[in-house]
Amino acid sequence: MAGSLSQSLAQAIASQPIWLLPVLSLLSIALVKHTQRRRALKGLRLPPGPKPLPIIGNALDVPTEMMGQRFREMTEKYGDVVYLDALGQPMIILGSHEAANELLEKRSANYSDRVPSVMRLISGWEWTFVLMPYGQEWRRRRKEMHQFIHPNAVAQYQPLQQRETVKFLNRLLNQPEDFLHHVRHSFASTIMRVSYGIEVSEKNDPYVTAVEEGVATFNEAFVPGAFLVETFPSLRHIPSWFPGGGFKRIAAEWKKIAHNMRDAPFEKTLEAMRKGTAEPSVAMTLMENASGKEGAEYEEEKIIARDVSALVYAAGADTTISTVQTFFLAMACFPEVQKKAREELDAVVGPNRLPTFEDRDSLPYITAVAKEALRWQSVVPLGVPHRSLSDDEYKGYFIPAGSVVIANLWAFSRNEKMYPDPESFKPERFLKDGKINPEVQDPNTFVFGYGRRICPGRHFAEASLFLMVASILHAFTIEPAVDEKGNTIKPEAKMTYGVISYPVPFPCSIKPRSPAAASLIVQALKESV
C-alpha cells in the first residue's frame, strides 16, 4: 500500500501547474510589500536569513529533503530564529528549544493556529485534530479528548496495556521476523479497545488495515512543499482533468481511505450499542452522553463523538509505534545497553514474572532507555508547523502575523551541549547517581510539541513505551541479523521521510533470553485470558 501511495504522490507532484508560477508570483510580490510596510511601521527588522531572490523570495532555499539537517545549517549560520519568504509566505525557523519554548509555549495564545491547508479539506482529513485551525471546533474536541487521556485517566488503561503487551511478546516469540508489524498491531489493538471497544483479529483485521492505510495517506498528503495548491489555494478550483489538476485525483482517492479509517470502527460501535453488546469505550461514552439530545444538536454531538474516537488513536499510538520500532534498531546496534538493562531488570523484577507499571520507579535505567529512544531518532522531525495569529516581536525581530513557524525538533535532539555524541544511543546521559538527572533536558519536553498544540496522548504514549521497553528487554535478546554466509548485517540508522518518520525496514535476530523466559511469556498469556 505504501509503495503505491508513494508512486501516486510522485505522479501528483509531477503534475503540479508550474506554468502558473509567473502569474501567481505577482501575488507574492504584493504580500511581501505588505509585510515590509507593517514591519517599517513597527520599527523592527525581520530575523536574519538567506538573501531572497526577486519574485520567488526564498522558495529555492526551502529544502525538500533532510529538512531537519538543512534547517539546522541555516540556524548555525544565521541564529536561532531564521526568516524565509517562500513566494510571499513568511516562514520562521526556530533552531533551539529555548526559542520554541518562548514563542510556542509561553506565547501559545498567538501561536496555536495551523497553516490553512487545502489538502486537509480535499483529501479527507478535515476532521483531524492536529491540522484543525485554532478555534471553537478545535477547543471542543480537545476538551472531549482530555477526559479520556489526562494523566489520571490514563491509569485506568494499565491492565489493558499489560494484557496487550503480553500478547505482543507471544507474537514476537512465535514470529520474531515480523517484529515491525507486531509493534503496529499491538498498539492498534490497544487503541481500538480504548476508542471503540473492538477486539481486533490476530491477522488481516480490517480495522487495523484501515488505520494503517489512513496513516500512510496522512504521512504523504502533508509533506511540506509536495503540493503547490498549499501555497496557492486558488488552484483548488481547477478541474481534476485540467493540466496541473492531478493533485485532485489523488486527493479523491485519499479521501476514501481517510474517511474509512474514521467511520468504519465508529459504525461498528454504534451497531454494537444497538444490539446491546458494546464494550466500554470512548465512542460508547460520548454517544451515551449525546443520547438525551435531539435533531441537529444530536447530529453535532455524533460528529464530535466520531471524530474524537478516531483522534484518540492518533494521540496515543502514532509516534509510539515509530519509537518502539526505533528501539529495536537501537538494541541491534548497541548491545551494551541490553546488558545494563537486564542487570537492572534481573535485580528488580527477577526471573519469575514480567515487569509491570508498579516497577517503574525502581527501573531508572529502563526509563532512561525509553527517553533515549524518543531522542535518538526524531519521530516528527519538524513537529507540525504552527501559525502566528498576530504580529509579534522576539529579541528585536519582527514576526509577521500569518507566519509559518517551524520548530526544528530534529535539531533540538542533536544539541551537542545537552546531548554529547548525539548519534550514539546512550541512556546513561539521563542518569546521575542511579537516578534520572533533572539537569539533562527530558526529550518529552519537545518531542510531543509545544503549548496548546502539545500532543494530548503523550501520557498514554509514555506509559506504553516504558512497558514495552521493559518487557522486551526482560524476555528477549536482540542482535544484528546474519546473512547466509554467517556475516553480521549491521542495521543502518535511517528513517523514512514524511510528517511522521519510521525506521527504514531492517532485519535483526530476536530470541528469548532463555527457555525460562519463553515459558514465562506462555504462562503470562494463559493468565491474561
Side-chain angles (χ1 to χ4, degrees), residues 4 35 83 97 126 202 242 262 271 307 323 350 404 478 488:
S4 63
T35 297
Y83 179 83
H97 168 69
E126 72 285 348
E202 283 294 317
F242 199 71
R262 179 195 66 185
E271 180 184 359
D307 292 356
T323 304
V404 177
I478 304 167
T488 299

Side-chain angles (χ1 to χ4, degrees), residues 5 13 52 74 87 148 235 363 382 386 441 485 513:
L5 285 171
I13 294 173
M74 289 185 191
L87 293 171
F148 299 105
L235 294 179
L363 295 171
L382 301 177
H386 293 235
Q441 185 179 4
K485 296 181 180 180
R513 288 180 62 186

Side-chain angles (χ1 to χ4, degrees), residues 57-79:
N58 297 114
L60 300 180
D61 294 309
V62 179
T64 57
E65 58 182 19
M66 299 180 68
M67 297 182 76
Q69 293 93 319
R70 299 290 85 83
F71 281 142
R72 183 176 66 173
E73 291 168 3
M74 289 185 191
T75 56
E76 287 174 346
K77 183 175 182 179
Y78 299 107

Side-chain angles (χ1 to χ4, degrees), residues 19-34 54-57 85 87-89 232:
W19 52 270
L20 281 179
L21 280 174
V23 176
L24 295 171
S25 63
L26 296 175
L27 176 61
S28 71
I29 294 174
L31 290 172
V32 171
K33 290 184 176 180
H34 179 61
I55 300 178
I56 65 172
D85 163 29
L87 293 171
Q89 171 62 65
F232 299 106

Side-chain angles (χ1 to χ4, degrees), residues 161-179:
Q161 289 172 298
Q162 198 85 45
R163 288 195 301 273
E164 291 298 333
T165 299
V166 170
K167 292 180 182 179
F168 167 78
L169 296 177
N170 188 61
R171 296 186 197 103
L172 205 57
L173 184 64
N174 294 318
Q175 294 177 303
E177 67 280 3
D178 292 332
F179 67 99

Side-chain angles (χ1 to χ4, degrees), residues 372 375-376 415-416 419-426 429:
E372 183 71 338
R375 183 208 67 82
W376 185 54
N415 178 353
E416 294 191 8
Y419 308 119
D421 190 13
E423 299 305 323
S424 293
F425 193 92
K426 294 183 176 181
R429 69 175 84 247

Side-chain angles (χ1 to χ4, degrees), residues 179-180 322-339 365 368-377 422-427 465 469 472-473 477-480 490-495 503-504 506-508:
F179 67 99
L180 293 175
S322 176
T323 304
V324 173
Q325 292 178 345
T326 299
F327 159 76
F328 277 96
L329 176 63
M331 294 304 97
C333 294
F334 300 91
E336 67 277 7
V337 173
Q338 294 183 70
K339 183 177 182 296
Y365 190 80
V369 171
K371 292 183 185 299
E372 183 71 338
L374 283 168
R375 183 208 67 82
W376 185 54
Q377 298 295 334
E423 299 305 323
S424 293
F425 193 92
K426 294 183 176 181
L465 179 60
V469 167
I472 293 165
L473 288 174
T477 297
I478 304 167
E479 298 175 334
K490 187 173 182 180
E492 182 181 2
K494 187 176 182 180
M495 304 292 282
V504 172
F506 61 95
C508 66

